[in-house]
Amino acid sequence: DAGVTQSPTHLIKTRGQQVTLRCSPISGHKSVSWYQQVLGQGPQFIFQYYEKEERGRGNFPDRFSARQFPNYSSELNVNALLLGDSALYLCASSLAQQGGEKLFFGSGTQLSVL
Amino acid sequence: QKEVEQDPGPLSVPEGAIVSLNCTYSNSAFQYFMWYRQYSRKGPELLMYTYSSGNKEDGRFTAQVDKSSKYISLFIRDSQPSDSATYLCAMILSGGYNKLIFGAGTRLAVHP
């Protein structure tokens, strides 16, 4: 079975631009979460979606938004990009939304903002 | 003070050594504890998942949780060069939704 798939793998943008990252969860998983990992740090929680609804949001500005589709895939959008948004963006899927569910990560999208 | 503290290393050991990786945490409400392995430019891979205090073993890996001391450990026996990676501890609060709180990660290098 395929794991969590993310696209694109790499992306280069300039300041002020907008970006959309995509994620397909493991088959049968209904919850998708997004994390940002800056070089040398652990991933930081951005969003969790379950059944197309936002279930949790981390400490990120409103420039970050996401949505989940009926097939449980998800998109993360970042507007008005800043240099500090350069990071590895990780998508994780789990069977359900409850705390304690095992999370499985994709390989990530490496975003560089110039 | 960060919720989860993890020594970033790097940690360099010879092949065959026993490796000990550790994290401490401040919030006693953390109930679920995980260890992830992350190779360079890849996503984290779930290695160990534990709920209660005590030990859990899987092959060469042993995860240990001491809730009274707010301390978790990962032991790797007979370490191999292929174990060279960054090891991230992560934990989740009881109840609520599935928000992982990660440590900064420890870089491990196993040399032949």
Side-chain angles (χ1 to χ4, degrees), chain A residues 35 37 40-43 45 48 55-57 88 90 94 97-103 105-107, chain B residues 32 34 36 38 41-44 46 49 56 88 92-93 95-100 102-105:
Chain A
Y35 288 76
Q37 186 176 24
Q41 297 181 21
F45 174 78
Q48 185 193 16
R55 300 294 182 164
R57 183 185 183 111
L88 180 66
L90 295 163
S94 58
Q97 65 162 347
Q98 289 85 0
E101 290 280 343
K102 294 180 182 179
L103 266 72
F105 285 85
S107 291
Chain B
Y32 305 92
M34 282 136 279
Y36 284 86
Q38 186 174 28
R41 301 186 188 90
K42 297 293 184 182
L46 181 63
Y49 173 94
K56 181 177 181 179
L88 296 154
I92 301 177
L93 296 169
Y97 53 92
N98 231 9
K99 175 183 175 182
L100 280 173
F102 282 89

mmCIF file of all heavy atoms in Angstrom, chain A residues 35 37 40-43 45 48 55-57 88 90 94 97-103 105-107, chain B residues 32 34 36 38 41-44 46 49 56 88 92-93 95-100 102-105:
data_model
loop_
_atom_site.group_PDB
_atom_site.id
_atom_site.type_symbol
_atom_site.label_atom_id
_atom_site.label_comp_id
_atom_site.label_asym_id
_atom_site.label_seq_id
_atom_site.Cartn_x
_atom_site.Cartn_y
_atom_site.Cartn_z
ATOM 1 N N TYR A 35 2.633 19.892 9.230
ATOM 2 C CA TYR A 35 3.699 20.338 10.124
ATOM 3 C C TYR A 35 4.744 21.106 9.315
ATOM 4 O O TYR A 35 4.969 20.815 8.141
ATOM 5 C CB TYR A 35 4.387 19.149 10.810
ATOM 6 C CG TYR A 35 3.538 18.483 11.871
ATOM 7 C CD1 TYR A 35 2.481 17.647 11.535
ATOM 8 C CD2 TYR A 35 3.776 18.723 13.226
ATOM 9 C CE1 TYR A 35 1.700 17.052 12.505
ATOM 10 C CE2 TYR A 35 3.005 18.128 14.211
ATOM 11 C CZ TYR A 35 1.963 17.298 13.840
ATOM 12 O OH TYR A 35 1.184 16.720 14.814
ATOM 13 N N GLN A 37 8.801 22.085 9.380
ATOM 14 C CA GLN A 37 10.076 21.749 10.009
ATOM 15 C C GLN A 37 11.170 22.648 9.456
ATOM 16 O O GLN A 37 11.581 22.519 8.301
ATOM 17 C CB GLN A 37 10.442 20.287 9.793
ATOM 18 C CG GLN A 37 11.690 19.866 10.567
ATOM 19 C CD GLN A 37 12.011 18.393 10.428
ATOM 20 O OE1 GLN A 37 11.612 17.745 9.458
ATOM 21 N NE2 GLN A 37 12.723 17.836 11.400
ATOM 22 N N GLY A 40 17.175 21.986 11.431
ATOM 23 C CA GLY A 40 17.758 21.866 12.755
ATOM 24 C C GLY A 40 16.759 21.824 13.892
ATOM 25 O O GLY A 40 17.153 21.760 15.060
ATOM 26 N N GLN A 41 15.469 21.854 13.567
ATOM 27 C CA GLN A 41 14.433 21.817 14.602
ATOM 28 C C GLN A 41 13.462 20.674 14.359
ATOM 29 O O GLN A 41 13.413 20.096 13.269
ATOM 30 C CB GLN A 41 13.667 23.148 14.616
ATOM 31 C CG GLN A 41 14.525 24.344 14.975
ATOM 32 C CD GLN A 41 13.716 25.625 15.001
ATOM 33 O OE1 GLN A 41 12.496 25.606 15.137
ATOM 34 N NE2 GLN A 41 14.401 26.752 14.884
ATOM 35 N N GLY A 42 12.687 20.351 15.380
ATOM 36 C CA GLY A 42 11.628 19.374 15.214
ATOM 37 C C GLY A 42 10.433 19.986 14.498
ATOM 38 O O GLY A 42 10.279 21.210 14.462
ATOM 39 N N PRO A 43 9.590 19.156 13.902
ATOM 40 C CA PRO A 43 8.387 19.675 13.226
ATOM 41 C C PRO A 43 7.465 20.417 14.186
ATOM 42 O O PRO A 43 7.340 20.043 15.354
ATOM 43 C CB PRO A 43 7.718 18.403 12.693
ATOM 44 C CG PRO A 43 8.815 17.396 12.589
ATOM 45 C CD PRO A 43 9.726 17.694 13.735
ATOM 46 N N PHE A 45 3.485 21.842 14.658
ATOM 47 C CA PHE A 45 2.117 21.594 14.227
ATOM 48 C C PHE A 45 1.487 22.837 13.617
ATOM 49 O O PHE A 45 1.543 23.935 14.208
ATOM 50 C CB PHE A 45 1.299 21.115 15.431
ATOM 51 C CG PHE A 45 -0.168 20.957 15.178
ATOM 52 C CD1 PHE A 45 -0.662 19.856 14.498
ATOM 53 C CD2 PHE A 45 -1.062 21.913 15.624
ATOM 54 C CE1 PHE A 45 -2.016 19.704 14.278
ATOM 55 C CE2 PHE A 45 -2.423 21.774 15.410
ATOM 56 C CZ PHE A 45 -2.903 20.664 14.742
ATOM 57 N N GLN A 48 -4.729 20.321 11.859
ATOM 58 C CA GLN A 48 -5.260 18.989 11.700
ATOM 59 C C GLN A 48 -6.657 19.085 11.098
ATOM 60 O O GLN A 48 -7.480 19.911 11.525
ATOM 61 C CB GLN A 48 -5.342 18.211 13.013
ATOM 62 C CG GLN A 48 -5.800 16.768 12.778
ATOM 63 C CD GLN A 48 -6.207 16.033 14.032
ATOM 64 O OE1 GLN A 48 -6.443 16.631 15.078
ATOM 65 N NE2 GLN A 48 -6.270 14.714 13.941
ATOM 66 N N ARG A 55 -9.809 20.626 12.876
ATOM 67 C CA ARG A 55 -9.964 20.154 14.242
ATOM 68 C C ARG A 55 -8.926 20.760 15.180
ATOM 69 O O ARG A 55 -9.078 20.674 16.395
ATOM 70 C CB ARG A 55 -9.817 18.624 14.291
ATOM 71 C CG ARG A 55 -10.831 17.898 13.464
ATOM 72 C CD ARG A 55 -12.245 18.064 14.000
ATOM 73 N NE ARG A 55 -13.224 17.326 13.224
ATOM 74 C CZ ARG A 55 -14.446 17.053 13.643
ATOM 75 N NH1 ARG A 55 -14.846 17.476 14.836
ATOM 76 N NH2 ARG A 55 -15.274 16.370 12.870
ATOM 77 N N GLY A 56 -7.888 21.319 14.624
ATOM 78 C CA GLY A 56 -6.871 21.932 15.464
ATOM 79 C C GLY A 56 -5.987 22.831 14.641
ATOM 80 O O GLY A 56 -5.797 22.606 13.446
ATOM 81 N N ARG A 57 -5.477 23.891 15.274
ATOM 82 C CA ARG A 57 -4.631 24.852 14.586
ATOM 83 C C ARG A 57 -3.499 25.228 15.514
ATOM 84 O O ARG A 57 -3.722 25.508 16.700
ATOM 85 C CB ARG A 57 -5.431 26.087 14.209
ATOM 86 C CG ARG A 57 -4.630 27.085 13.425
ATOM 87 C CD ARG A 57 -5.403 28.368 13.161
ATOM 88 N NE ARG A 57 -4.602 29.266 12.332
ATOM 89 C CZ ARG A 57 -4.872 29.579 11.076
ATOM 90 N NH1 ARG A 57 -5.952 29.088 10.501
ATOM 91 N NH2 ARG A 57 -4.094 30.387 10.396
ATOM 92 N N LEU A 88 10.783 22.584 5.472
ATOM 93 C CA LEU A 88 10.225 21.336 4.971
ATOM 94 C C LEU A 88 8.797 21.237 5.508
ATOM 95 O O LEU A 88 8.586 21.279 6.723
ATOM 96 C CB LEU A 88 11.057 20.148 5.453
ATOM 97 C CG LEU A 88 10.600 18.746 5.020
ATOM 98 C CD1 LEU A 88 10.748 18.575 3.503
ATOM 99 C CD2 LEU A 88 11.394 17.672 5.760
ATOM 100 N N LEU A 90 5.575 19.056 6.073
ATOM 101 C CA LEU A 90 5.262 17.643 6.213
ATOM 102 C C LEU A 90 3.773 17.437 6.385
ATOM 103 O O LEU A 90 3.113 18.181 7.119
ATOM 104 C CB LEU A 90 5.986 17.062 7.435
ATOM 105 C CG LEU A 90 7.510 17.050 7.361
ATOM 106 C CD1 LEU A 90 8.114 16.867 8.743
ATOM 107 C CD2 LEU A 90 7.989 15.945 6.433
ATOM 108 N N SER A 94 -3.583 9.905 9.798
ATOM 109 C CA SER A 94 -3.934 8.967 10.861
ATOM 110 C C SER A 94 -5.351 8.484 10.597
ATOM 111 O O SER A 94 -6.120 9.117 9.874
ATOM 112 C CB SER A 94 -3.808 9.605 12.242
ATOM 113 O OG SER A 94 -4.617 10.749 12.361
ATOM 114 N N GLN A 97 -9.100 11.202 14.516
ATOM 115 C CA GLN A 97 -8.603 12.480 15.005
ATOM 116 C C GLN A 97 -8.165 12.446 16.454
ATOM 117 O O GLN A 97 -7.544 13.373 16.937
ATOM 118 C CB GLN A 97 -9.695 13.544 14.872
ATOM 119 C CG GLN A 97 -10.899 13.265 15.757
ATOM 120 C CD GLN A 97 -11.772 14.493 15.965
ATOM 121 O OE1 GLN A 97 -11.382 15.602 15.654
ATOM 122 N NE2 GLN A 97 -12.955 14.278 16.483
ATOM 123 N N GLN A 98 -8.505 11.359 17.182
ATOM 124 C CA GLN A 98 -8.290 11.375 18.614
ATOM 125 C C GLN A 98 -6.821 11.417 18.974
ATOM 126 O O GLN A 98 -5.978 10.850 18.289
ATOM 127 C CB GLN A 98 -8.906 10.128 19.259
ATOM 128 C CG GLN A 98 -10.407 10.112 19.294
ATOM 129 C CD GLN A 98 -11.000 9.584 17.999
ATOM 130 O OE1 GLN A 98 -10.292 9.239 17.078
ATOM 131 N NE2 GLN A 98 -12.312 9.553 17.952
ATOM 132 N N GLY A 99 -6.536 12.087 20.081
ATOM 133 C CA GLY A 99 -5.174 12.086 20.577
ATOM 134 C C GLY A 99 -4.724 10.676 20.857
ATOM 135 O O GLY A 99 -5.445 9.878 21.421
ATOM 136 N N GLY A 100 -3.497 10.364 20.435
ATOM 137 C CA GLY A 100 -2.972 9.030 20.637
ATOM 138 C C GLY A 100 -2.968 8.186 19.390
ATOM 139 O O GLY A 100 -2.356 7.108 19.368
ATOM 140 N N GLU A 101 -3.626 8.648 18.320
ATOM 141 C CA GLU A 101 -3.557 7.922 17.055
ATOM 142 C C GLU A 101 -2.133 8.003 16.507
ATOM 143 O O GLU A 101 -1.479 9.030 16.592
ATOM 144 C CB GLU A 101 -4.519 8.538 16.041
ATOM 145 C CG GLU A 101 -5.985 8.313 16.342
ATOM 146 C CD GLU A 101 -6.454 6.930 15.924
ATOM 147 O OE1 GLU A 101 -5.748 6.284 15.127
ATOM 148 O OE2 GLU A 101 -7.516 6.505 16.402
ATOM 149 N N LYS A 102 -1.676 6.909 15.898
ATOM 150 C CA LYS A 102 -0.346 6.922 15.284
ATOM 151 C C LYS A 102 -0.373 7.789 14.033
ATOM 152 O O LYS A 102 -1.289 7.695 13.220
ATOM 153 C CB LYS A 102 0.080 5.500 14.918
ATOM 154 C CG LYS A 102 0.297 4.608 16.128
ATOM 155 C CD LYS A 102 0.707 3.219 15.694
ATOM 156 C CE LYS A 102 0.880 2.310 16.905
ATOM 157 N NZ LYS A 102 1.266 0.936 16.518
ATOM 158 N N LEU A 103 0.633 8.644 13.900
ATOM 159 C CA LEU A 103 0.750 9.517 12.740
ATOM 160 C C LEU A 103 1.852 9.006 11.820
ATOM 161 O O LEU A 103 2.956 8.692 12.285
ATOM 162 C CB LEU A 103 1.070 10.937 13.163
ATOM 163 C CG LEU A 103 -0.119 11.877 13.328
ATOM 164 C CD1 LEU A 103 -0.904 11.511 14.555
ATOM 165 C CD2 LEU A 103 0.333 13.323 13.388
ATOM 166 N N PHE A 105 4.048 9.978 8.369
ATOM 167 C CA PHE A 105 4.432 11.164 7.616
ATOM 168 C C PHE A 105 4.815 10.841 6.177
ATOM 169 O O PHE A 105 5.333 9.749 5.875
ATOM 170 C CB PHE A 105 5.629 11.857 8.287
ATOM 171 C CG PHE A 105 5.276 12.609 9.529
ATOM 172 C CD1 PHE A 105 5.206 11.966 10.755
ATOM 173 C CD2 PHE A 105 5.002 13.970 9.471
ATOM 174 C CE1 PHE A 105 4.871 12.664 11.908
ATOM 175 C CE2 PHE A 105 4.670 14.674 10.616
ATOM 176 C CZ PHE A 105 4.598 14.024 11.834
ATOM 177 N N GLY A 106 4.575 11.811 5.301
ATOM 178 C CA GLY A 106 5.107 11.781 3.961
ATOM 179 C C GLY A 106 6.537 12.288 3.942
ATOM 180 O O GLY A 106 7.101 12.643 4.989
ATOM 181 N N SER A 107 7.127 12.333 2.748
ATOM 182 C CA SER A 107 8.524 12.772 2.612
ATOM 183 C C SER A 107 8.670 14.282 2.612
ATOM 184 O O SER A 107 9.781 14.791 2.719
ATOM 185 C CB SER A 107 9.135 12.209 1.329
ATOM 186 O OG SER A 107 9.288 10.804 1.437
ATOM 187 N N TYR B 32 0.993 9.949 25.416
ATOM 188 C CA TYR B 32 1.442 9.062 24.353
ATOM 189 C C TYR B 32 2.823 9.533 23.907
ATOM 190 O O TYR B 32 3.045 10.731 23.715
ATOM 191 C CB TYR B 32 0.475 9.095 23.166
ATOM 192 C CG TYR B 32 -0.946 8.772 23.547
ATOM 193 C CD1 TYR B 32 -1.833 9.787 23.894
ATOM 194 C CD2 TYR B 32 -1.400 7.464 23.574
ATOM 195 C CE1 TYR B 32 -3.140 9.499 24.261
ATOM 196 C CE2 TYR B 32 -2.704 7.170 23.929
ATOM 197 C CZ TYR B 32 -3.564 8.191 24.279
ATOM 198 O OH TYR B 32 -4.849 7.901 24.646
ATOM 199 N N MET B 34 6.284 8.821 21.345
ATOM 200 C CA MET B 34 6.751 8.221 20.111
ATOM 201 C C MET B 34 8.204 8.574 19.847
ATOM 202 O O MET B 34 8.699 9.607 20.313
ATOM 203 C CB MET B 34 5.911 8.724 18.923
ATOM 204 C CG MET B 34 4.563 8.049 18.807
ATOM 205 S SD MET B 34 3.247 9.240 18.447
ATOM 206 C CE MET B 34 2.917 9.890 20.070
ATOM 207 N N TYR B 36 10.585 8.877 16.368
ATOM 208 C CA TYR B 36 10.650 8.865 14.915
ATOM 209 C C TYR B 36 12.113 8.914 14.481
ATOM 210 O O TYR B 36 12.939 9.545 15.134
ATOM 211 C CB TYR B 36 9.929 10.091 14.326
ATOM 212 C CG TYR B 36 8.425 10.009 14.345
ATOM 213 C CD1 TYR B 36 7.699 10.403 15.481
ATOM 214 C CD2 TYR B 36 7.708 9.569 13.230
ATOM 215 C CE1 TYR B 36 6.314 10.341 15.492
ATOM 216 C CE2 TYR B 36 6.329 9.510 13.233
ATOM 217 C CZ TYR B 36 5.637 9.898 14.368
ATOM 218 O OH TYR B 36 4.257 9.843 14.377
ATOM 219 N N GLN B 38 14.467 10.078 11.218
ATOM 220 C CA GLN B 38 14.392 10.920 10.020
ATOM 221 C C GLN B 38 15.745 10.931 9.318
ATOM 222 O O GLN B 38 16.728 11.431 9.865
ATOM 223 C CB GLN B 38 13.960 12.352 10.378
ATOM 224 C CG GLN B 38 13.718 13.225 9.175
ATOM 225 C CD GLN B 38 13.146 14.585 9.527
ATOM 226 O OE1 GLN B 38 13.375 15.111 10.615
ATOM 227 N NE2 GLN B 38 12.375 15.165 8.618
ATOM 228 N N ARG B 41 16.571 14.894 4.412
ATOM 229 C CA ARG B 41 15.638 15.289 3.349
ATOM 230 C C ARG B 41 14.466 14.323 3.189
ATOM 231 O O ARG B 41 13.842 14.256 2.129
ATOM 232 C CB ARG B 41 16.356 15.465 2.013
ATOM 233 C CG ARG B 41 17.452 16.505 2.042
ATOM 234 C CD ARG B 41 18.015 16.745 0.664
ATOM 235 N NE ARG B 41 19.186 17.599 0.685
ATOM 236 C CZ ARG B 41 20.424 17.170 0.806
ATOM 237 N NH1 ARG B 41 20.652 15.875 0.916
ATOM 238 N NH2 ARG B 41 21.441 18.007 0.830
ATOM 239 N N LYS B 42 14.167 13.555 4.223
ATOM 240 C CA LYS B 42 13.024 12.654 4.205
ATOM 241 C C LYS B 42 12.069 12.995 5.340
ATOM 242 O O LYS B 42 12.411 13.756 6.246
ATOM 243 C CB LYS B 42 13.487 11.193 4.340
ATOM 244 C CG LYS B 42 14.354 10.704 3.212
ATOM 245 C CD LYS B 42 13.587 10.622 1.908
ATOM 246 C CE LYS B 42 14.445 10.036 0.811
ATOM 247 N NZ LYS B 42 13.720 9.994 -0.491
ATOM 248 N N GLY B 43 10.864 12.430 5.284
ATOM 249 C CA GLY B 43 9.912 12.617 6.369
ATOM 250 C C GLY B 43 10.222 11.697 7.540
ATOM 251 O O GLY B 43 10.897 10.680 7.384
ATOM 252 N N PRO B 44 9.756 12.032 8.732
ATOM 253 C CA PRO B 44 9.962 11.173 9.898
ATOM 254 C C PRO B 44 9.259 9.826 9.748
ATOM 255 O O PRO B 44 8.130 9.765 9.255
ATOM 256 C CB PRO B 44 9.348 11.984 11.046
ATOM 257 C CG PRO B 44 9.271 13.392 10.543
ATOM 258 C CD PRO B 44 9.059 13.280 9.073
ATOM 259 N N LEU B 46 7.926 6.471 11.823
ATOM 260 C CA LEU B 46 7.569 6.035 13.176
ATOM 261 C C LEU B 46 8.328 4.757 13.538
ATOM 262 O O LEU B 46 8.222 3.735 12.865
ATOM 263 C CB LEU B 46 6.062 5.797 13.264
ATOM 264 C CG LEU B 46 5.533 5.366 14.628
ATOM 265 C CD1 LEU B 46 5.781 6.456 15.670
ATOM 266 C CD2 LEU B 46 4.035 5.052 14.532
ATOM 267 N N TYR B 49 6.108 3.414 19.587
ATOM 268 C CA TYR B 49 4.913 4.090 20.101
ATOM 269 C C TYR B 49 4.592 3.469 21.449
ATOM 270 O O TYR B 49 4.417 2.257 21.549
ATOM 271 C CB TYR B 49 3.762 3.891 19.119
ATOM 272 C CG TYR B 49 2.421 4.391 19.591
ATOM 273 C CD1 TYR B 49 1.989 5.671 19.259
ATOM 274 C CD2 TYR B 49 1.563 3.576 20.337
ATOM 275 C CE1 TYR B 49 0.751 6.135 19.669
ATOM 276 C CE2 TYR B 49 0.333 4.033 20.755
ATOM 277 C CZ TYR B 49 -0.076 5.308 20.408
ATOM 278 O OH TYR B 49 -1.293 5.763 20.823
ATOM 279 N N LYS B 56 9.262 -0.956 26.159
ATOM 280 C CA LYS B 56 8.691 -1.638 25.004
ATOM 281 C C LYS B 56 9.827 -1.960 24.057
ATOM 282 O O LYS B 56 10.630 -1.083 23.734
ATOM 283 C CB LYS B 56 7.650 -0.767 24.305
ATOM 284 C CG LYS B 56 7.012 -1.460 23.095
ATOM 285 C CD LYS B 56 5.951 -0.581 22.483
ATOM 286 C CE LYS B 56 5.297 -1.267 21.292
ATOM 287 N NZ LYS B 56 4.238 -0.421 20.689
ATOM 288 N N LEU B 88 13.890 11.777 16.534
ATOM 289 C CA LEU B 88 12.978 12.761 17.113
ATOM 290 C C LEU B 88 12.070 12.085 18.134
ATOM 291 O O LEU B 88 11.435 11.077 17.817
ATOM 292 C CB LEU B 88 12.095 13.381 16.025
ATOM 293 C CG LEU B 88 12.786 14.200 14.943
ATOM 294 C CD1 LEU B 88 11.961 14.196 13.668
ATOM 295 C CD2 LEU B 88 12.994 15.630 15.405
ATOM 296 N N ILE B 92 2.042 13.348 22.786
ATOM 297 C CA ILE B 92 0.699 13.882 22.593
ATOM 298 C C ILE B 92 0.021 13.997 23.958
ATOM 299 O O ILE B 92 0.160 13.118 24.808
ATOM 300 C CB ILE B 92 -0.145 12.967 21.686
ATOM 301 C CG1 ILE B 92 0.510 12.809 20.311
ATOM 302 C CG2 ILE B 92 -1.552 13.525 21.505
ATOM 303 C CD1 ILE B 92 -0.245 11.860 19.399
ATOM 304 N N LEU B 93 -0.746 15.079 24.124
ATOM 305 C CA LEU B 93 -1.513 15.258 25.347
ATOM 306 C C LEU B 93 -2.681 14.280 25.382
ATOM 307 O O LEU B 93 -3.169 13.843 24.343
ATOM 308 C CB LEU B 93 -2.052 16.687 25.431
ATOM 309 C CG LEU B 93 -1.015 17.792 25.537
ATOM 310 C CD1 LEU B 93 -1.671 19.144 25.334
ATOM 311 C CD2 LEU B 93 -0.330 17.740 26.889
ATOM 312 N N GLY B 95 -6.520 13.226 25.614
ATOM 313 C CA GLY B 95 -7.725 13.860 25.113
ATOM 314 C C GLY B 95 -7.437 14.763 23.933
ATOM 315 O O GLY B 95 -6.324 14.824 23.423
ATOM 316 N N GLY B 96 -8.425 15.484 23.466
ATOM 317 C CA GLY B 96 -8.218 16.461 22.409
ATOM 318 C C GLY B 96 -7.879 15.827 21.092
ATOM 319 O O GLY B 96 -8.199 14.683 20.813
ATOM 320 N N TYR B 97 -7.187 16.569 20.251
ATOM 321 C CA TYR B 97 -6.872 16.089 18.927
ATOM 322 C C TYR B 97 -5.417 15.667 18.848
ATOM 323 O O TYR B 97 -4.674 15.753 19.818
ATOM 324 C CB TYR B 97 -7.192 17.161 17.896
ATOM 325 C CG TYR B 97 -6.556 18.499 18.166
ATOM 326 C CD1 TYR B 97 -5.314 18.822 17.631
ATOM 327 C CD2 TYR B 97 -7.191 19.465 18.944
ATOM 328 C CE1 TYR B 97 -4.716 20.043 17.873
ATOM 329 C CE2 TYR B 97 -6.601 20.688 19.188
ATOM 330 C CZ TYR B 97 -5.370 20.974 18.648
ATOM 331 O OH TYR B 97 -4.789 22.184 18.899
ATOM 332 N N ASN B 98 -5.021 15.234 17.685
ATOM 333 C CA ASN B 98 -3.744 14.554 17.504
ATOM 334 C C ASN B 98 -2.622 15.527 17.196
ATOM 335 O O ASN B 98 -2.077 15.530 16.103
ATOM 336 C CB ASN B 98 -3.877 13.533 16.367
ATOM 337 C CG ASN B 98 -3.393 12.172 16.786
ATOM 338 O OD1 ASN B 98 -3.118 11.921 17.929
ATOM 339 N ND2 ASN B 98 -3.283 11.276 15.814
ATOM 340 N N LYS B 99 -2.235 16.348 18.164
ATOM 341 C CA LYS B 99 -1.165 17.321 17.969
ATOM 342 C C LYS B 99 0.112 16.791 18.592
ATOM 343 O O LYS B 99 0.225 16.647 19.814
ATOM 344 C CB LYS B 99 -1.542 18.653 18.620
ATOM 345 C CG LYS B 99 -0.444 19.697 18.587
ATOM 346 C CD LYS B 99 -0.885 20.944 19.324
ATOM 347 C CE LYS B 99 0.234 21.973 19.410
ATOM 348 N NZ LYS B 99 -0.194 23.176 20.164
ATOM 349 N N LEU B 100 1.091 16.487 17.741
ATOM 350 C CA LEU B 100 2.379 15.996 18.208
ATOM 351 C C LEU B 100 3.263 17.165 18.621
ATOM 352 O O LEU B 100 3.378 18.148 17.885
ATOM 353 C CB LEU B 100 3.091 15.218 17.105
ATOM 354 C CG LEU B 100 2.684 13.765 16.850
ATOM 355 C CD1 LEU B 100 3.396 13.243 15.621
ATOM 356 C CD2 LEU B 100 2.997 12.907 18.040
ATOM 357 N N PHE B 102 7.134 17.834 19.272
ATOM 358 C CA PHE B 102 8.413 17.183 19.000
ATOM 359 C C PHE B 102 9.548 17.816 19.798
ATOM 360 O O PHE B 102 9.529 19.017 20.108
ATOM 361 C CB PHE B 102 8.767 17.338 17.514
ATOM 362 C CG PHE B 102 8.045 16.405 16.591
ATOM 363 C CD1 PHE B 102 6.833 16.749 16.041
ATOM 364 C CD2 PHE B 102 8.607 15.183 16.272
ATOM 365 C CE1 PHE B 102 6.173 15.885 15.178
ATOM 366 C CE2 PHE B 102 7.956 14.308 15.401
ATOM 367 C CZ PHE B 102 6.735 14.671 14.864
ATOM 368 N N GLY B 103 10.555 17.000 20.081
ATOM 369 C CA GLY B 103 11.845 17.524 20.484
ATOM 370 C C GLY B 103 12.588 18.013 19.264
ATOM 371 O O GLY B 103 12.143 17.837 18.123
ATOM 372 N N ALA B 104 13.757 18.612 19.489
ATOM 373 C CA ALA B 104 14.527 19.189 18.386
ATOM 374 C C ALA B 104 15.213 18.127 17.542
ATOM 375 O O ALA B 104 15.652 18.411 16.418
ATOM 376 C CB ALA B 104 15.557 20.173 18.932
ATOM 377 N N GLY B 105 15.308 16.891 18.073
ATOM 378 C CA GLY B 105 15.977 15.824 17.332
ATOM 379 C C GLY B 105 17.436 15.692 17.722
ATOM 380 O O GLY B 105 18.110 16.697 17.998
#
